[in-house]
Amino acid sequence: MYSSRWLAGLCICALLATGCSTAPPIRPETYVVRPEDTLYSIAWRFDLNFNDLAAWNDLGTGYRIEPGQILLLRPTPGAALRPSPRPAATPANGPGAASQQSRATPHRDIPRVEKPRPLPDLGPTPAATQPAVPPPPVPTGTAAGTAAGSAAASTATPATPLAWVWPTRPLGQPTAVAGGGLMIRGGLGQDVNAAGAGKVVYVGSGLRGYGNLVIIKHSDSLLSAYAHNREVAVKEGQSVKAGERIGAMGLGPRQIPALYFEIRLNGRPVPVRPYLENN
């Protein structure tokens, strides 16, 4: 009798374990454009190269999209993936190379799926008397290098000559986030600056998990993002210089003042520190 109950209990536990397991989110085949979307924000949401997204949907160089428009998030059957533009100095196997072609699937409308971004535990709130750690000095030259061309790259350096600066003054040690980003604690309202020269391509709060977000395009393969801003001081289409103020730090996870900073190369997050380590 006890043996049969024990076996029944094992069966129930196995069913519960199976039922509670969840598969990782899968990128849908299509996406319906919302009023606040831009091509860059959609590419960012689904970890895509914006050049590929434009090519799959024949958007041309203007990247114009309209609310209600259905965009393909995968190449059509038989379509080749267009190589991402890259500087001539970039090695053939460097970060400018095109990502591998995804397996094509037939076009059909399915519900859109949004992937929430996990954010790290920032730990206890720093004491008010803790001195701010000054950022490294602004470089006098330029930083150049190569990046590993995969989503799980362990090292990355700029693919094109670009002077990088810290996006804000850190308070304590920044926290590395899986995938390459940094969570930088500071003071509420302190300046958030462009880490490199470029063009603002997105300003908004439409990407879940980022709060008020600014995305800057530095080249045809390189973007940087600044999340959890309390206020934003730039507009889409505006050109900015390295170190130029673009916003003010807001509240990050656990309502602690913090900036989430991320760099993406060909649509993939890369470790941030190699870009900033010499600055």
Side-chain angles (χ1 to χ4, degrees), residues 115-126:
K115 179 181 63 176
R117 174 166 297 277
L119 295 174
D121 186 350
L122 295 181
T125 304

Side-chain angles (χ1 to χ4, degrees), residues 137-151:
V138 177
T140 56
T142 58
T146 58
S150 70

Side-chain angles (χ1 to χ4, degrees), residues 47-100:
D47 291 350
L48 293 171
N49 186 332
F50 63 88
N51 291 297
D52 295 336
L53 187 57
W56 298 339
N57 293 278
D58 297 322
L59 298 181
T61 57
Y63 298 161
R64 290 183 59 86
I65 56 177
E66 300 291 339
Q69 182 178 353
I70 298 176
L71 296 181
L72 294 174
L73 299 183
R74 304 175 187 273
T76 54
L81 197 64
R82 186 177 67 173
S84 303
R86 53 187 171 91
T90 305
N93 60 348
S99 56
Q100 294 182 352

Side-chain angles (χ1 to χ4, degrees), residues 26-31 48 56-57 70-81 101-110:
I26 300 175
R27 187 196 333 148
E29 297 172 7
T30 61
Y31 176 79
L48 293 171
W56 298 339
N57 293 278
I70 298 176
L71 296 181
L72 294 174
L73 299 183
R74 304 175 187 273
T76 54
L81 197 64
Q101 180 177 357
S102 304
R103 183 178 299 276
T105 53
H107 180 157
R108 57 186 176 87
D109 292 343
I110 62 176

Side-chain angles (χ1 to χ4, degrees), residues 95 145-149 153-159 263 265 269-277:
T146 58
S154 59
T155 59
T157 50
I263 294 176
L265 196 61
V270 294
V272 170
R273 288 187 180 277
Y275 288 77
L276 304 175
E277 61 185 3

